[in-house]
Amino acid sequence: MAAVFLVMLYEYSPLFYITVVFVCFLVTSGLVLGWFGLGVPVILRNSEETESSTRVLKKRMRQVKNPFGLEIPHPATASVTKGITLTPDCLEDCILTCYWGCSVQKLHEALQKHVYCFRIKTPQALEDALYSEYLYRQQYFIKKNDKEEKYCQLSEDAQVVDFGPVPRSRYPLIALLTLADEEDREIYDIISMVAVIHVPDESYRLSCRILYQYLLLAQGQYHDLKK
């Protein structure tokens, strides 16, 4: 019996050695690919690793919806003395608040307060953070998906025709968009948008445009959409 087994092993040993070498090659290749981040063959992965990779992929695919939109439909006609027309475009009922002559320093301090102190999700919250460091305020209620143009103009009582040469201590115009309903603020990650708008005057005739557009998140971060 032992003699028969030895004869069979002798006859099939080349095939046996080839099989062992092939299996070792597959395992080594899988380890090398996994080490360098090139992906490991599915056959060499366990089920837990596959499920974990699927969860990570799904998390990266998550999108954040921005409920706010703002455009300047007639930038060529805008000026500090003649005013400006804005077109909001919101997915929910919103409030558009315009601040003329807002302090540059106070605005950026307010953005930091959104991160470290309290969330700016209403006009009152921004005004508290600004310490009312602006010249004039206008406010409009914006219906959902309503693209009606809103006209904003600095009051004559402010007695301001320009904001002086650059660098300036005040932005010509700040536009704040916030969600009107408390329930909507709970379902959106983006809770407000602050747009810094340049409006030309006698001292600085750069064409009207949105300089910065900050999206403020419920978690306390903010991002410049213009970048």
Side-chain angles (χ1 to χ4, degrees):
M1 191 68 179
V4 174
F5 174 75
L6 291 174
V7 170
M8 290 178 62
L9 181 62
Y10 175 78
E11 291 178 350
Y12 292 102
S13 57
L15 180 60
F16 175 75
Y17 291 142
I18 292 173
T19 303
V20 171
V21 171
F22 181 71
V23 171
C24 292
F25 174 76
L26 283 179
V27 174
T28 304
S29 300
L31 293 175
V32 171
L33 290 174
W35 179 267
F36 288 101
L38 300 178
V40 181
V42 177
I43 195 173
L44 298 178
R45 298 179 182 175
N46 58 40
S47 59
E48 293 182 359
E49 182 181 352
T50 303
E51 292 175 0
S52 176
S53 300
T54 303
R55 287 195 297 268
V56 171
L57 181 60
K58 288 182 179 179
K59 187 175 182 180
R60 290 175 180 171
M61 291 292 288
R62 184 174 182 271
Q63 296 182 356
V64 177
K65 184 181 293 185
N66 178 15
F68 307 110
L70 186 69
E71 294 182 355
I72 305 173
H74 313 295
T77 61
S79 71
V80 169
T81 55
K82 295 180 180 179
I84 182 176
T85 302
L86 301 176
T87 303
D89 182 12
C90 302
L91 300 179
E92 308 291 346
D93 291 347
C94 291
I95 297 175
L96 170 64
T97 310
C98 298
Y99 302 93
W100 288 91
C102 179
S103 167
V104 173
Q105 178 181 347
K106 292 300 181 182
L107 175 64
H108 291 282
E109 288 179 0
L111 293 174
Q112 292 303 311
K113 289 178 181 178
H114 172 78
V115 176
Y116 298 107
C117 300
F118 54 84
R119 304 294 174 256
I120 297 176
K121 55 185 178 180
T122 63
Q124 186 61 52
L126 178 61
E127 291 159 21
D128 291 343
L130 291 173
Y131 293 104
S132 300
E133 283 287 337
Y134 52 86
L135 302 178
Y136 186 61
R137 172 184 180 272
Q138 292 172 286
Q139 193 170 80
Y140 305 91
F141 180 80
I142 310 299
K143 291 291 292 182
K144 177 179 179 180
N145 297 323
D146 183 9
K147 298 183 180 181
E148 180 183 352
E149 296 181 356
K150 301 299 181 183
Y151 179 68
C152 303
Q153 186 176 21
L154 181 59
S155 172
E156 294 181 357
D157 295 338
Q159 298 181 346
V160 174
V161 295
D162 65 56
F163 290 93
V166 293
R168 293 175 160 180
S169 61
R170 294 180 181 272
Y171 287 122
L173 183 63
I174 300 296
L176 171 69
L177 277 170
T178 54
L179 294 165
D181 297 332
E182 181 69 32
E183 293 180 358
D184 292 332
R185 297 174 200 152
E186 301 298 327
I187 62 176
Y188 282 94
D189 289 331
I190 299 174
I191 55 175
S192 59
M193 184 181 77
V194 176
V196 178
I197 303 173
H198 171 70
V199 184
D201 55 31
E202 292 296 329
S203 297
Y204 194 38
R205 294 185 176 275
L206 179 71
S207 60
C208 181
R209 65 190 65 184
I210 297 177
L211 299 177
Y212 310 103
Q213 208 163 355
Y214 299 109
L215 299 179
L216 279 62
L217 277 64
Q219 294 81 8
Q221 304 92 349
Y222 69 91
H223 304 286
D224 186 0
L225 186 62
K226 296 289 287 183
K227 291 183 179 181

